[in-house]
């Protein structure tokens, strides 16, 4: 039932990208996202696409699997594209009764689609190649300078770890409850909106109850192991930058350089 | 009749965690049988029965119930689900109503039966699983684990299905309660002539109440035969990480020691009769 949700899923492996330090990957994604919005030309997107393809290839994750992450946002992408296509002023390309399509509209629509795709692809590569634990470790480390101004970095990271950890569990549980209630003849598909909302009750109540029970159990289990927050905690696995990370940063600098070049070129030759 | 043709099921197809849970199962089960389903942990029992109950669609292959192919165009899945009752493994989590009565009534009221019919069925089912009448007005969330289990089982029994599937219904219940529930289910099977599929890890339970047994091994059907025939193959069963009832083991040992007992003894009563016969000679 929830087979299509790949967002936030981890795809275990030992590739170059998998072995990069999570801090490198998080910062890389931030730079990647920033550059998505700075690119002004198709040439720039070509550079970005090449970089993305290289990343996916070296991560050894099947392309099909990465692209599956795009499915849930398809409707959103289409709506955005349509809005941009029809509602942008500029040089008129086609005019048909009340519909006008402008050159700028086409360009902007394509740009928006590309931006959304790259946004999802970039973040998917991060979550697919980084285990949730490594991810939150990285975030905690990157947030730790903010501890001085009172940001509870460790607690935030712990909350994120737990939330990520329980996404699949809750999905599985929902699946099980839906099956059990379907077997008892519950009907989720027919009827008007109110009936359908009512049909959710037999799913939501057991789900909430089990979520609360799990939270309770987890809290007790953590206390039993003397967990008491971030002060003075040491780690089993310290984060360490390795040789691979140097190469990663080098690749990233190249990417940014090429994009800047593409933008400069755009000012001159306009493609 | 339930007919499975080349049925396979794969979890998370295409993903990194792809897992073939059931492969190429061909199986024909007759109406009115009490069928035991056994196999080691993770052998695909729960997956198989969920397919039979029409909750998940086979990745490949077809399932026919009384001539109707599940998930085909001219098949009303909801009607089929009213004919099949499935008690899932650890079914306690499916409770959600304010009172036990209302929760047991959830299935029958989905079938849109008249109120007095629902009431009769709920009381019948509650009695069947040994729930005292005063419990019916309590909230299901203030019951003990075993009581919750009984309420969940009653919720399915109240639908009076023609095909009743139970996935380890008695795991975690006390011995007396377990025997009582199984006994009542056997009784229901005899009186109403329904088909029952019981998944269990207890060889004693299976030996005592089933007349046919299906053995699963790594997602495939390893054996399908009369209960007496299955328990003759203790060696094969042991290779699959399963066992035979203790009484069968004892009889095998007695036979090895020279007592001329016949093969395929799997209940204490049979053993008693057989040993008495041998001793009289
Ligand atoms: N929701 C699921 N997602 C992914 N894999 C699953 C899922 N459910 C079961 N599996 C896998 O399918 C295989 C068969 O599982 P199944 O639950 O059918 O076994 P079982 O015979 O019922 O075992 P048990 O005796 O422990 O109940 C197992 O290897 C399990 O890991
Ligand atoms: Mg099971």
């Amino acid at each position: 039932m929830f087979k299509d949700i790949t967002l936030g899923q981890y795809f275990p492996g030992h590739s170059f990208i998998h072995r990069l330090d999570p801090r490198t990957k998080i910062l890389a994604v931030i730079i990647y996202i920033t550059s998505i919005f700075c690119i002004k030309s198709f040439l720039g997107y070509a550079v970005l696409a090449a970089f993305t393809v290289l990343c996916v290839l070296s991560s050894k994750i099947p392309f099909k699997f990465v692209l599956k992450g795009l499915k849930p946002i398809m409707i959103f992408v289409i709506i955005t594209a349509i809005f941009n296509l029809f509602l942008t002023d500029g040089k008129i390309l086609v005019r048909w009764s009340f519909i006008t399509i402008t050159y700028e509209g086409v360009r902007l629509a394509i740009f928006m689609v590309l931006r959304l795709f790259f946004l999802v692809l970039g973040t998917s590569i991060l979550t697919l190649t980084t285990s949730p634990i490594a991810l939150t470790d990285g975030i905690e480390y990157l947030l730790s300078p903010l501890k001085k101004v009172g940001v509870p970095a460790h607690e935030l990271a712990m909350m994120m770890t737990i939330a990520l950890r329980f996404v699949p569990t809750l999905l599985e549980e929902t699946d099980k409850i839906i099956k059990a209630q379907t077997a008892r003849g519950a009907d989720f598909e027919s009827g008007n909106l109110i009936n359908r909302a009512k049909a959710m009750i037999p799913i939501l109540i057991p789900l909430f109850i089990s979520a609360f029970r799990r939270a309770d159990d987890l809290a007790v289990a953590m206390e039993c192991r003397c967990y008491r927050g971030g002060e003075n905690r040491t780690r089993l696995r310290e984060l360490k930058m390795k040789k691979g990370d140097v190469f990663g940063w080098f690749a990233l600098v190249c990417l940014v350089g090429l994009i800047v070049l593409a933008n400069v070129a755009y000012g001159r030759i306009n493609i | 009749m339930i007919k499975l043709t080349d049925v396979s099921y794969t979890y998370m197809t295409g993903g990194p965690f792809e897992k073939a849970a059931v492969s190429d199962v061909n199986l024909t089960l007759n109406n009115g049988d009490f069928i035991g389903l056994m196999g080691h942990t993770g052998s695909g029992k729960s997956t198989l029965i969920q397919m039979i109950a029409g909750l998940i669609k086979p990745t490949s292959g077809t399932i026919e119930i009384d001539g109707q192919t599940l998930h085909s165009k001219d098949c009303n899945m909801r009607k089929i689900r009213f004919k099949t009752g499935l008690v899932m493994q650890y079914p306690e989590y499916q409770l959600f109503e304010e009172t036990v009565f209302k929760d047991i009534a959830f299935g029958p009221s989905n079938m849109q039966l008249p109120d007095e019919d629902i009431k009769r069925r709920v009381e019948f089912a509650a009695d069947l699983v040994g729930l005292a009448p005063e419990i019916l007005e309590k909230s299901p969330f203030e019951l003990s684990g075993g009581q919750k289990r009984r309420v969940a089982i009653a919720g399915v029994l109240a639908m009076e299905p023609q095909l009743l599937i139970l996935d380890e219904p008695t795991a975690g219940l006390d011995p007396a309660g377990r025997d009582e529930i199984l006994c009542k289910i056997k009784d229901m099977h005899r009186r109403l002539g329904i088909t029952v599929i019981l998944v269990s890890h207890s060889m004693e339970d299976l030996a005592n109440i089933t007349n046919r047994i299906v053995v699963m091994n790594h997602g495939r059907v390893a054996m399908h035969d009369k209960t007496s025939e299955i328990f003759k193959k203790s060696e094969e069963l042991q290779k699959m990480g399963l066992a035979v009832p203790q009484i069968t083991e004892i009889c095998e040992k007695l036979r090895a020691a020279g007592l001329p007992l016949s093969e395929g003894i799997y209940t204490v009563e049979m053993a008693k009769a057989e040993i008495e016969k041998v001793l009289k000679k």
Side-chain angles (χ1 to χ4, degrees):
Chain A
M1 184 144 313
F2 301 102
K3 269 182 244 160
D4 289 337
I5 299 183
T6 51
L7 196 73
Q9 208 181 54
Y10 174 51
F11 194 111
H14 298 283
S15 71
F16 167 71
I17 306 258
H18 280 90
R19 278 181 284 118
L20 282 178
D21 190 284
R23 288 168 293 178
T24 308
K25 282 189 271 190
I26 294 168
L27 290 174
V29 165
I30 294 173
I31 294 171
Y32 182 92
I33 291 175
T34 320
S35 57
I36 290 176
F37 290 99
C38 294
I39 292 174
K40 292 189 209 141
S41 65
F42 287 113
L43 188 63
Y45 282 113
V47 172
L48 200 67
F51 181 78
T52 313
V53 169
L54 276 179
C55 282
V56 176
L57 281 181
S58 60
S59 74
K60 303 220 172 74
I61 298 174
F63 257 102
K64 233 172 61 194
F65 198 79
V66 180
L67 292 178
K68 241 167 66 179
L70 292 175
K71 238 198 230 160
I73 62 152
M74 249 4 230
I75 294 182
F76 184 64
V77 170
I78 291 170
I79 293 175
T80 319
I82 290 175
F83 268 97
N84 280 297
L85 191 60
F86 294 122
L87 300 179
T88 314
D89 289 328
K91 204 166 77 191
I92 288 165
L93 216 59
V94 188
R95 168 166 255 159
W96 188 71
S97 75
F98 63 94
I99 296 172
T100 47
I101 295 176
T102 62
Y103 171 77
E104 279 80 2
V106 174
R107 196 181 157 84
L108 205 59
I110 296 175
F111 270 28
M112 283 317 277
V113 171
L114 285 174
R115 277 177 195 162
L116 286 170
F117 277 4
F118 282 121
L119 206 60
V120 172
L121 286 181
T123 40
S124 300
I125 294 173
L126 172 68
T127 52
L128 283 171
T129 61
T130 319
S131 74
I133 307 246
L135 197 61
T136 41
D137 273 0
I139 290 174
E140 181 179 349
Y141 192 93
L142 292 173
L143 284 180
S144 56
L146 296 179
K147 270 185 193 158
K148 294 207 182 69
V149 291
V151 175
H154 171 79
E155 281 73 13
L156 283 177
M158 182 54 98
M159 266 157 44
M160 263 192 63
T161 320
I162 293 175
L164 281 176
R165 159 68 185 75
F166 278 100
V167 168
T169 311
L170 286 181
L171 286 178
E172 201 176 293
E173 195 121 321
T174 314
D175 199 47
K176 227 166 64 173
I177 294 171
I178 291 178
K179 275 185 197 159
Q181 308 299 27
T182 316
R184 293 211 278 167
D187 181 14
F188 308 113
E189 276 118 40
S190 57
N192 57 21
L193 209 61
I194 295 175
N195 280 345
R196 277 195 214 189
K198 266 196 197 151
M200 296 305 286
I201 294 175
I203 297 171
L204 291 180
I205 291 181
L207 194 62
F208 272 114
I209 285 177
S210 90
F212 281 123
R213 206 201 56 233
R214 269 177 208 286
D216 214 37
D217 290 353
L218 185 69
V220 171
M222 281 167 83
E223 257 174 43
C224 286
R225 297 185 205 172
C226 304
Y227 175 81
R228 45 182 185 75
E231 282 305 302
N232 301 328
R233 267 176 80 81
T234 53
R235 301 184 167 283
L236 179 61
R237 249 165 285 147
E238 295 278 348
L239 293 179
K240 255 197 221 101
M241 292 280 179
K242 290 168 293 255
K243 262 191 216 136
D245 292 287
V246 177
F247 182 75
W249 281 109
F250 175 71
L252 217 63
V253 169
C254 289
L255 172 75
V256 172
L258 281 174
I259 287 175
V260 169
L261 272 181
N263 274 355
V264 172
Y266 174 66
R268 302 249 171 88
I269 50 175
N270 204 357
I271 46 164
Chain B
M1 196 167 76
I2 307 163
K3 193 163 172 237
L4 288 83
T5 322
D6 298 326
V7 171
S8 302
Y9 191 86
T10 309
Y11 283 104
M12 321 228 199
T13 29
F17 305 107
E18 188 173 286
K19 168 92 202 168
V22 171
S23 344
D24 301 322
V25 166
N26 285 292
L27 200 61
T28 308
L29 305 171
N30 290 325
N31 283 350
D33 273 346
F34 201 123
I35 301 140
L37 181 57
M38 63 189 205
H40 60 86
T41 291
S43 57
K45 304 180 296 292
S46 299
T47 311
L48 186 73
I49 55 172
Q50 283 175 29
M51 286 193 281
I52 295 177
L55 293 176
I56 52 180
K57 201 175 158 203
T59 318
S60 65
T62 54
I63 300 175
E64 252 177 61
I65 293 186
D66 296 331
Q68 276 200 303
T69 308
L70 297 190
H71 305 284
S72 67
K73 262 191 213 127
D74 46 82
C75 166
N76 184 340
M77 284 310 287
R78 235 179 142 222
K79 260 202 192 128
I80 295 238
R81 290 207 184 104
F82 289 143
K83 281 209 299 192
T84 357
L86 168 66
V87 178
M88 304 247 290
Q89 204 165 8
Y90 303 110
E92 295 86 297
Y93 56 80
Q94 70 183 29
L95 307 177
F96 70 98
E97 278 283 11
E98 287 158 76
T99 66
V100 170
F101 182 94
K102 280 192 193 166
D103 205 283
I104 300 178
F106 180 66
S109 50
N110 279 331
M111 298 164 83
Q112 279 152 353
L113 298 169
D115 278 353
E116 57 269 27
D117 227 15
I118 293 179
K119 191 162 181 301
R120 180 189 62 74
R121 283 184 176 209
V122 171
E123 278 161 7
F124 168 77
D127 178 58
L128 205 68
V129 297
L131 285 171
E134 61 268 20
I135 287 185
L136 288 181
E137 293 315 313
K138 282 196 180 176
S139 154
F141 301 111
E142 57 189 56
L143 302 180
S144 78
Q147 285 169 326
K148 279 188 198 163
R149 172 75 58 84
R150 286 162 199 249
V151 174
I153 297 176
V156 173
L157 293 182
M159 296 170 72
E160 300 187 357
Q162 279 152 28
L163 167 61
L164 177 62
I165 309 175
L166 303 136
D167 197 349
E168 294 186 46
T170 53
L173 288 184
D174 58 282
R178 191 186 66 205
D179 290 347
E180 188 192 327
I181 290 182
L182 289 180
C183 205
K184 291 264 176 70
I185 289 172
K186 176 84 187 165
D187 190 47
M188 190 173 160
H189 164 251
R190 204 165 7 200
R191 257 183 321 115
L192 304 176
I194 57 174
T195 316
V196 182
I197 302 177
L198 173 71
V199 178
S200 177
H201 284 292
S202 159
M203 301 303 145
E204 272 70 26
D205 289 350
L206 290 173
N208 284 328
I209 59 175
T210 63
N211 57 356
R212 290 192 79 84
I213 287 187
V214 176
V215 182
M216 303 264 307
N217 190 27
H218 295 296
R220 291 170 193 279
V221 170
M223 303 180 200
H224 174 211
D225 214 331
K226 286 204 220 81
T227 304
S228 54
E229 297 297 317
I230 294 285
F231 286 133
K232 276 181 193 163
K233 300 172 186 158
S234 64
E235 249 175 61
E236 274 175 67
L237 289 175
Q238 258 149 21
K239 260 186 222 149
M240 292 181 228
L242 300 167
V244 289
Q246 281 169 333
I247 192 72
T248 311
E249 242 173 274
I250 290 173
C251 289
E252 299 268 305
K253 278 189 187 144
L254 285 176
R255 205 176 40 240
L259 216 59
L261 295 172
S262 67
E263 264 192 336
I265 294 169
Y266 52 90
T267 65
V268 178
E269 286 78 40
M270 285 167 82
K272 182 169 172 251
E274 185 72 19
I275 291 173
E276 275 174 354
K277 203 171 77 191
V278 169
L279 290 183
K280 261 189 209 139
K281 270 189 213 160

